[in-house]
Amino acid sequence: MVMILGTVGTVATAALLARSSNLSNNIETSITIGQQNLSVAETAKVNLQALLIEHNQLLEYNLDDWGKYLQSPNSSEKSREFNHNLRLCEKEGNWKKTKQHILDLAEHNTIDVPMGKFSLLDFQQVGKNQILATIKTQNAQENQAQYEINISFSDNYLSKPVPVLWLTGKEQIGGIENVQVNGNVWANNCSFPVEKVNFMEVDAHQAKYTGIKMPDLPDLEGIKERLPEHHYFPSIAEEEATQTQEDNISLKLPRLEDKPTKKEGEKNVYEYLINNMEKIDSLIINSDFQSESMIILYVLGDINISEIVHKCESSNPCSPENLIIIAYEEAKMCLGFDNLGAFIIAPHYELGLKTNNPNQEYAKFTGSIWTDKLLTTGDCGNDKVEFHEALKWANLPDEFQTLSPIPKLIQVNLKESIKPDA
């Protein structure tokens, strides 16, 4: 009897152990499946995140539009803009891969990744700056699951640095590899050699092509209407004088008799129009004139300033954004200095910089320059220049803060599985 009971007990124990072992195996298998699908989902998240960071204008369109505009690139102005910004400066082979990748996502096709594959099921805007994406994963054993990816983004690029150089021109022949750059560089035209930019700190900054358009320049006619006559250079009296004598032209601004023409926050703003003054021997700007001030120079035609100085006379900060040079038309600007802080917007100009100090090898520029082409050889400018980034978008006047398409700051988070692993 004992023997029978012992046998029954042994059988029961064996059965329990077997059930326990099977349960353990099932749990282990379930965990393994879950881990595999989670790994696939994490890879899919990184895949999607990389695409959206590089092409964040996709956030402005519905998923259906991705496919529609890619399949019919010339069907509308919106379609042409979509394709232009996506393809910007990509070589043909790379563009074909990018285009196919976006089409696969838009058409819910499966995309191979390490340990499995995934497809994008949905991409819906659920808030002003939030998108919820749904992906389906499949691991190597063909077990499936669904996950949600929360994509939040911000238009708050205003806290970010303004590129030290923003070049719109079609040509940049030589020289850019010799100037010293301590800041980011943007180029609108694909012929600009971004790979040749010589960074002072290689890992800290980058040169890249951008589809972002420069903001429009302020309305010049409106500016002329509000400027007093003695804020024009040359004035009528000066024009008559320059016809009879060839004296050196030296300017110090603001002058005691000058009055602010507007306000920018707490700062007094002094504006001046320089019209076709091809040669200025010396221009001294004091942005600490009767408290911290902003000086804006509106320039027409060619201009060559042998020595330009931006100085401050007290302990107030002498900030680069307090000297702004805005140049209209297509012309040439040549500036000589040893150390200049400024914000220069000359989108149709050829701009040359050089040191005017024989004891200083490099001219040091701090701030931001937006221009068509940088002249690095010849009489106007050379490549012995250091460029230092210093401005934030929020520090610029309002009219220069609006960019299109708007750059996005992106965060992508993977949520828990919304559908059990199968």
Side-chain angles (χ1 to χ4, degrees):
M1 188 70 171
V2 172
M3 214 173 145
I4 295 174
L5 285 173
T7 303
V8 172
T10 302
V11 171
T13 302
L16 287 172
L17 289 173
R19 288 175 59 192
S20 174
S21 177
N22 289 336
L23 181 60
S24 177
N25 288 336
N26 289 339
I27 291 173
E28 185 178 345
T29 301
S30 178
I31 291 172
T32 302
I33 291 170
Q35 288 175 336
Q36 288 174 351
N37 271 317
L38 182 59
S39 294
V40 174
E42 288 283 0
T43 306
K45 184 203 83 167
V46 172
N47 185 294
L48 190 59
Q49 180 175 329
L51 177 69
L52 294 175
I53 288 174
E54 187 174 357
H55 302 289
N56 60 47
Q57 65 267 29
L58 290 170
L59 295 166
E60 300 176 13
Y61 297 85
N62 295 324
L63 190 60
D64 291 343
D65 290 336
W66 296 6
K68 180 175 70 175
Y69 291 149
L70 284 173
Q71 298 283 20
S72 304
N74 295 308
S75 60
S76 66
E77 185 60 36
K78 200 167 186 178
S79 175
R80 283 188 287 272
E81 183 179 11
F82 178 87
N83 280 272
H84 172 267
N85 289 338
L86 276 182
R87 186 174 182 173
L88 185 70
C89 301
E90 280 206 57
K91 295 180 180 178
E92 184 65 26
N94 292 337
W95 167 239
K96 284 183 178 179
K97 291 178 182 177
T98 300
K99 179 179 178 180
Q100 189 57 54
H101 183 49
I102 296 171
L103 278 173
D104 284 338
L105 290 170
E107 295 171 357
H108 319 297
N109 296 333
T110 56
I111 296 171
D112 291 327
V113 294
M115 296 185 67
K117 56 185 67 176
F118 80 96
S119 59
L120 182 61
L121 300 181
D122 200 11
F123 191 84
Q124 290 288 336
Q125 187 163 355
V126 294
K128 181 182 177 183
N129 290 319
Q130 189 173 12
I131 287 173
L132 197 62
T134 305
I135 60 170
K136 182 171 71 174
T137 64
Q138 181 174 303
N139 64 20
Q141 284 72 42
E142 300 187 356
N143 302 106
Q144 296 181 352
Q146 287 186 20
Y147 293 84
E148 285 183 342
I149 297 178
N150 186 50
I151 303 165
S152 58
F153 55 93
S154 168
D155 298 340
N156 187 23
Y157 59 90
L158 296 179
S159 64
K160 296 296 180 180
V162 179
V164 68
L165 284 172
W166 186 352
L167 300 164
T168 64
K170 297 180 181 178
E171 291 185 60
Q172 184 67 49
I173 303 174
I176 195 65
E177 67 272 16
N178 295 325
V179 300
Q180 305 286 312
V181 180
N182 184 25
N184 294 312
V185 176
W186 286 3
N188 283 118
N189 193 278
C190 304
S191 66
F192 181 83
V194 293
E195 72 283 354
K196 292 185 179 180
V197 176
N198 183 19
F199 290 110
M200 298 172 75
E201 297 180 39
V202 177
D203 296 330
H205 303 103
Q206 64 174 334
K208 69 175 185 177
Y209 299 116
T210 180
I212 296 172
K213 300 170 185 173
M214 282 191 189
D216 293 334
L217 298 183
D219 175 45
L220 188 58
E221 294 307 313
I223 292 165
K224 289 179 179 178
E225 289 178 6
R226 70 167 177 264
L227 290 189
E229 184 179 326
H230 67 285
H231 283 229
Y232 280 72
F233 297 99
S235 65
I236 295 174
E238 287 168 332
E239 284 187 300
E240 292 173 350
T242 55
Q243 290 173 5
T244 58
Q245 61 187 37
E246 295 185 359
D247 291 341
N248 293 342
I249 299 175
S250 297
L251 300 173
K252 292 184 179 180
L253 301 173
R255 301 158 297 188
L256 287 175
E257 65 270 24
D258 293 343
K259 303 296 182 186
T261 48
K262 65 175 185 174
K263 296 279 283 187
E264 186 76 34
E266 297 297 317
K267 300 176 187 178
N268 288 322
V269 179
Y270 297 84
E271 300 172 289
Y272 303 91
L273 179 65
I274 299 177
N275 189 359
N276 288 296
M277 289 183 72
E278 292 189 20
K279 179 66 175 173
I280 298 176
D281 293 277
S282 175
L283 173 60
I284 299 175
I285 302 294
N286 177 14
S287 64
D288 198 24
F289 180 75
Q290 299 180 1
S291 77
E292 186 181 4
S293 305
M294 179 182 291
I295 288 76
I296 303 179
L297 308 177
Y298 302 102
V299 176
L300 294 172
D302 290 341
I303 185 167
N304 185 340
I305 305 176
S306 299
E307 178 188 40
I308 180 170
V309 177
H310 178 197
K311 68 174 186 175
C312 296
E313 293 180 346
S314 76
S315 59
N316 287 328
C318 192
S319 302
E321 66 264 24
N322 286 341
L323 170 57
I324 300 177
I325 302 174
I326 303 174
Y328 297 77
E329 302 177 344
E330 293 185 21
K332 182 185 290 187
M333 181 185 299
C334 310
L335 304 177
F337 56 88
D338 58 2
N339 193 334
L340 178 66
F343 176 34
I344 301 175
I345 310 100
H348 306 296
Y349 270 62
E350 293 182 328
L351 177 62
L353 310 176
K354 60 183 178 181
T355 180
N356 63 348
N357 185 345
N359 298 317
Q360 183 172 308
E361 184 179 4
Y362 282 84
K364 182 180 178 182
F365 177 86
T366 303
S368 183
I369 292 175
W370 303 358
T371 193
D372 180 76
K373 181 181 177 181
L374 196 64
L375 297 176
T376 54
T377 58
D379 295 334
C380 183
N382 58 44
D383 57 12
K384 300 299 183 183
V385 184
E386 289 182 8
F387 294 93
H388 295 269
E389 192 172 79
L391 302 180
K392 295 281 176 53
W393 288 103
N395 299 138
L396 304 184
D398 291 344
E399 58 262 44
F400 296 112
Q401 292 183 9
T402 304
L403 300 180
S404 177
I406 298 173
K408 305 285 194 307
L409 310 179
I410 299 171
Q411 286 187 336
V412 179
N413 297 303
L414 184 66
K415 300 178 74 174
E416 294 182 3
S417 173
I418 58 172
K419 186 175 180 182
D421 305 325

